[in-house]
Amino acid sequence: MNHLRILRGLLLALVASLTTFAPLAQADDTEIFVGGNNTASIQPNILFIFDNSGSMDGLISSQNVYTPATDFLAGTTCDASRVYYAASGNGAPNCSSANWVNLSAVVCQAALTAFTTAGKY
């Protein structure tokens, strides 16, 4: 009977301490960005993960590399004297849209260089 009373007291003390101190032990990643109380003395922790598992062994197919010698206007309604643009930034611009400017109006040298080397700017 005495052992049961001691066990009940220990269990009650454990539950009381867990409910009292558990909220103090909570933390999340926002402390990384806003800092804690003693951020000057805490060294940052950085974790690098290198995934060399079997799923990382395959090659990923991508689009072909842009080549300026290819005639991309063949069979399209695009005019070579125009620079077409997509207003939303999603995907290639449509040649039948009103979103274009004359190529002669483009005075930015970086844009002109990008058009001839990468096909886009």
Side-chain angles (χ1 to χ4, degrees):
M1 187 71 123
N2 200 12
H3 289 65
L4 194 58
R5 191 177 299 162
I6 293 173
L7 185 59
R8 189 181 309 149
L10 287 175
L11 185 61
L12 183 62
L14 178 65
V15 169
S17 65
L18 285 177
T19 57
T20 303
F21 297 114
L24 299 176
Q26 293 178 351
D28 57 35
D29 61 348
T30 57
E31 292 181 9
I32 296 171
F33 305 111
V34 297
N37 295 336
N38 299 322
T39 57
S41 64
I42 299 173
Q43 295 295 319
N45 292 326
I46 300 173
L47 174 65
F48 289 101
I49 298 176
F50 295 100
D51 187 357
N52 62 353
S53 64
S55 64
M56 295 291 130
D57 193 26
L59 295 176
I60 297 173
S61 299
S62 181
Q63 62 189 17
N64 294 333
V65 177
Y66 174 75
T67 54
T70 304
D71 184 8
F72 292 98
L73 296 178
T76 68
T77 59
C78 294
D79 186 351
S81 65
R82 296 178 177 175
V83 175
Y84 297 90
Y85 62 91
S88 64
N90 295 330
N94 188 348
C95 295
S96 62
S97 74
N99 296 335
W100 61 270
V101 295
N102 284 323
L103 180 60
S104 61
V106 179
V107 295
C108 176
Q109 188 58 45
L112 292 171
T113 302
F115 288 146
T116 58
T117 57
K120 64 181 180 176
Y121 179 70

